[in-house]
């Protein structure tokens, strides 16, 4: 290792020296193993909690608005104001924790963000006034937003390139396993024959805390990203970690690993300035920036607008009792999870561009058909749920690919901040305005208003799909360093990366 010269924070921040390493190639050539399952379980399970959280709120909205719930709040406030505050918190948390994740490491932050989430969820269960409920919905979202940045960056840096697409999609899609649990849980918790009106919904949030504590225990064993370590002056630790994983996998498989494909020489740095991040994302990769924004805005409006209010739609237009909406939501949640599960492999084989564009466009077209049928009065609660199940089978795979896309098409040093930025901006555009608009449209009880909301979501999904047709990056089965050259690379002959 040789000494490096330091300069301004926005050009070459806090240089400590140069290092030549084969760590990325060694990670990418690993076969699937028990170690990778530990990563998936330790990091992916938090989406289950997020799905549980959001679904519970959507399904208990009607109960919270009833007299005797313990809160003076309306269903529209739960699905509108509280939902928007949750998303606003997620956007804020993504930006705040995203910056810390790139600076201080993936492991520290995915532990901190989970603790924030657990504490805020516990406080939500203790709500006694609407302002308390709103405050801790914001803080719960704050923790979840940080999870998106810290975890997606860690997943992509630890999973081999051959499996990265499907694993990322399935992990993000596991949100819907939590949604299924939340939907079914709400049926029990909202049954006044079992729990009083003012207790059942509180116990639902409390259960989320218990599950989160279990995840916290598992996550302690997930390591820091070796890619982050060797760029931030911890090359020896990166080498030790990868060597130990290689020995473990060789012992498990009973055969030696193939040699790595090559090395990369980088300038170590302790931090990176916002100026360099902005110039990199928008100056060096403007087409990729447009792609990221389009994908996030489309999926954010669709999901944050519709998912938060699905229970209200059933109750308002089909007279489904509030205690029974969970059955219907469990069905569409299953469709959401099956999408990434069954289509995920195709993102690694058929390719990113074809699969991203087709899932977005197809889900948008199917939603237009659903809106038309709903407008004609041709749907019942059952057939409406069936339509949504099909729409979201494709939409869920597309939405998950948005997180995959922004986490792999920008340089390593900006990864967590890139995820945070596009998540925050896209979600703010579609996720904050969506619930607020949609709550008013569904509360009106006018079919045409809800049809309009469906059409807006469908149009944005189709538009994002068309953007992907022209701008999606062919990232399948390629190393992260090949997709986007690390900013710390020194000497073009030492890296195969392309801009």
């Amino acid at each position: 290792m040789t000494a490096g010269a330091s300069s301004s924070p926005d050009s070459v921040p806090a240089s400590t020296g140069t290092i030549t390493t084969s760590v990325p190639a060694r990670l990418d050539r690993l076969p699937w193993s028990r170690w990778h399952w530990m990563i998936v379980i330790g990091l992916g399970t938090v989406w289950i909690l997020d799905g549980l959280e959001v679904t519970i709120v959507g399904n208990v909205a009607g109960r919270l608005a009833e007299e005797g719930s313990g809160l003076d709040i309306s269903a529209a406030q739960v699905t509108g104001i509280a939902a928007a505050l949750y998303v606003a918190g997620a956007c804020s948390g993504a930006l705040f924790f995203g910056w810390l994740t790139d600076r201080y490491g993936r492991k520290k932050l995915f532990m901190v963000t989970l603790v924030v989430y657990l504490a805020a969820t516990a406080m939500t269960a203790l709500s006694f006034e609407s302002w308390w409920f709103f405050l801790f919905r914001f803080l719960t979202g704050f923790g979840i937003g940080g999870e998106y940045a810290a975890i997606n960056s860690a997943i992509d840096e630890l999973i081999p390139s051959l499996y990265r697409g499907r694993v990322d999609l399935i992990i993000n899609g596991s949100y819907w396993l939590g949604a299924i649990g939340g939907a079914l849980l709400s049926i029990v918790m909202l049954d006044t024959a079992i729990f009083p009106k003012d207790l059942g919904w509180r116990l639902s949030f409390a259960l989320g805390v218990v599950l989160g504590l279990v995840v916290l225990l598992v996550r302690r064993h997930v390591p820091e990203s070796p890619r982050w370590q060797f760029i931030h002056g911890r090359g020896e630790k990166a080498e030790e970690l990868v060597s130990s994983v290689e020995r473990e996998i060789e012992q498990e498989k009973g055969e030696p690993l193939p040699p790595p494909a090559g090395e990369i020489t980088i300038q170590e740095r302790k931090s990176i300035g916002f100026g360099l991040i902005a110039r990199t994302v928008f100056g060096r990769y403007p087409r990729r920036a447009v792609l990221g924004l389009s994908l996030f805005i489309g999926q954010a409006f669709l999901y944050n607008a519709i998912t938060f209010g699905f229970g209200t739609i059933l109750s308002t237009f089909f007279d489904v009792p509030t205690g029974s909406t969970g059955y219907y939501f469990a069905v569409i949640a299953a469709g959401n999870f099956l999408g990434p599960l069954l289509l995920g492999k195709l993102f690694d084989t058929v390719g990113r561009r074809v699969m991203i564009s087709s899932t977005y466009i197809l889900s948008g077209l199917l939603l237009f058909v659903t809106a038309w049928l709903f407008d004609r009065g041709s749907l019942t609660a059952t057939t409406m749920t069936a339509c949504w199940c099909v729409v979201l089978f494709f939409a869920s795979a597309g939405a998950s690919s948005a997180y995959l896309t922004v986490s792999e098409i920008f340089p390593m040093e900006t990864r967590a901040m890139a995820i945070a930025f596009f998540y925050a901006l896209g979600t703010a555009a579609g996720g904050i305005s969506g619930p607020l608009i949609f709550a008013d449209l569904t509360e009106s009880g006018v079919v045409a208003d809800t049809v309009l909301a469906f059409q807006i979501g469908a149009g944005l999904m189709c538009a994002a799909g068309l953007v992907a047709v022209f701008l999606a990056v062919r990232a399948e089965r390629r190393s992260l360093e090949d997709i986007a050259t690390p900013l710390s690379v020194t000497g073009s002959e030492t890296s195969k990366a392309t801009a």
Side-chain angles (χ1 to χ4, degrees):
M1 185 178 298
T2 59
S6 62
S7 60
S8 65
D10 268 354
S11 55
V12 185
S15 300
T16 60
T18 57
I19 181 174
T20 298
T21 179
S22 59
V23 162
R26 291 163 67 188
L27 289 170
D28 280 335
R29 63 72 152 102
L30 293 176
W32 193 260
S33 66
R34 289 191 295 265
W35 185 78
H36 293 107
W37 277 117
M38 183 266 292
I39 301 297
V40 170
I41 295 171
L43 296 182
T45 43
V46 74
W47 296 162
I48 297 176
L49 292 178
D50 189 18
L52 183 77
E53 182 84 21
V54 173
T55 307
I56 285 174
V57 172
N59 284 308
V60 304
R63 175 54 46 81
L64 289 173
E66 295 176 3
E67 186 177 353
S69 70
L71 280 182
D72 183 14
I73 195 170
S74 68
Q77 285 179 312
V78 177
T79 58
I81 297 175
L85 285 172
Y86 178 87
V87 175
C91 295
S92 305
L95 291 172
F96 177 70
F97 290 119
W99 175 72
L100 293 178
T101 297
D102 277 335
R103 187 177 181 89
Y104 295 109
R106 289 30 173 156
K107 184 176 178 67
K108 287 182 181 178
L109 270 298
F110 62 58
M111 296 297 286
V112 170
T113 52
L114 182 55
V115 170
V116 172
Y117 162 82
L118 291 173
T121 301
M123 292 298 101
T124 302
L126 300 177
S127 296
F128 57 92
E129 292 284 352
S130 58
W131 66 266
W132 180 282
F133 184 80
F134 293 148
L135 171 63
F136 286 101
R137 291 309 297 156
F138 175 86
L139 292 176
T140 301
F142 193 72
I144 284 294
E147 289 275 295
Y148 277 102
I151 290 179
N152 276 291
S153 56
I155 289 170
D156 284 358
E157 290 167 10
L158 291 169
I159 298 299
S161 57
L162 184 64
Y163 309 99
R164 188 174 62 239
R166 73 197 74 176
V167 171
D168 197 296
L169 257 71
I170 292 172
I171 285 179
N172 279 285
S174 68
Y175 169 100
W176 295 102
L177 289 177
I180 295 172
L184 297 177
L185 179 66
S186 67
I187 295 171
V188 177
M189 295 302 179
L190 295 180
D191 188 344
T192 53
I194 303 175
F195 299 105
K197 283 186 177 182
D198 63 345
L199 179 61
W201 64 269
R202 298 182 191 275
L203 292 177
S204 299
F205 287 110
L207 182 59
V209 176
V210 174
L211 294 176
L213 289 172
V214 174
V215 175
L216 189 63
L217 293 174
V218 175
R219 190 173 288 182
R220 292 183 307 159
H221 302 291
V222 177
E224 180 57 86
S225 164
R227 283 178 158 104
W228 182 88
Q229 287 177 322
F230 73 69
I231 281 183
H232 289 79
R234 303 177 187 182
E236 291 183 1
K237 289 186 176 181
E239 292 286 338
E240 291 174 5
L241 173 58
V242 175
S243 294
S244 68
V245 173
E246 288 172 331
R247 289 192 297 270
E248 178 183 328
I249 293 177
E250 285 181 335
Q251 184 177 6
E252 176 187 337
K253 302 298 181 182
E255 58 184 17
L257 294 169
E263 296 180 330
I264 186 172
T265 299
I266 59 97
Q267 177 76 49
E268 295 176 317
R269 54 179 76 198
K270 293 186 181 299
S271 62
I272 185 169
F274 279 111
L276 182 54
I277 292 174
R279 290 198 301 273
T280 300
V281 173
F282 296 102
R284 185 183 297 185
Y285 299 106
R287 290 163 59 90
R288 297 183 182 191
V290 171
L291 172 67
L293 285 174
S294 300
L295 296 181
F296 266 95
I297 289 174
Q299 66 87 25
F301 190 95
L302 178 73
Y303 274 98
N304 288 290
I306 306 303
T307 303
F308 277 114
F310 185 71
T312 303
I313 294 174
L314 293 176
S315 300
T316 302
F317 296 101
F318 301 107
D319 297 322
V320 175
T322 57
S324 300
T325 57
Y327 291 111
Y328 297 90
F329 199 92
V331 174
I332 68 167
N336 270 286
F337 178 64
L338 289 174
L341 181 66
L342 300 180
L343 300 178
K345 185 177 181 179
L346 299 178
F347 284 77
D348 285 322
T349 55
V350 175
R352 305 286 201 262
R353 177 170 294 179
V354 172
M355 291 306 299
I356 293 172
S357 59
S358 61
T359 51
Y360 267 80
I361 292 173
L362 186 56
S363 62
L365 293 176
L366 289 171
L367 182 52
F368 273 123
V369 173
T370 301
W372 176 69
L373 291 172
F374 181 68
D375 190 36
R376 292 185 58 197
S378 302
L379 298 177
T380 63
T382 300
T383 54
M384 166 70 90
T385 302
C387 287
W388 269 104
C389 191
V390 176
V391 169
L392 297 177
F393 175 86
F394 296 101
S396 180
S400 295
S401 72
Y403 294 93
L404 168 67
T405 297
V406 299
S407 68
E408 67 182 1
I409 63 175
F410 296 105
M412 153 78 201
E413 299 88 338
T414 69
R415 182 160 295 120
M417 269 306 298
I419 297 168
F421 175 79
F422 287 102
Y423 170 81
L425 198 58
T427 303
I432 296 178
S433 60
L436 291 174
I437 295 171
F438 200 74
D440 289 336
L441 292 175
T442 55
E443 191 180 42
S444 70
V446 178
V447 170
D449 290 345
T450 301
V451 169
L452 175 61
F454 286 1
Q455 291 173 336
I456 293 173
L460 288 173
M461 288 295 282
C462 288
L466 291 175
V467 171
V469 169
F470 298 100
L471 301 184
V473 178
R474 299 185 187 279
E476 58 273 9
R477 292 171 288 181
R478 295 170 62 190
S479 72
L480 296 172
E481 291 73 22
D482 185 46
I483 299 168
T485 308
L487 303 180
S488 306
V489 164
T490 62
S492 58
E493 76 282 0
T494 61
S495 174
K496 296 181 181 178
T498 56

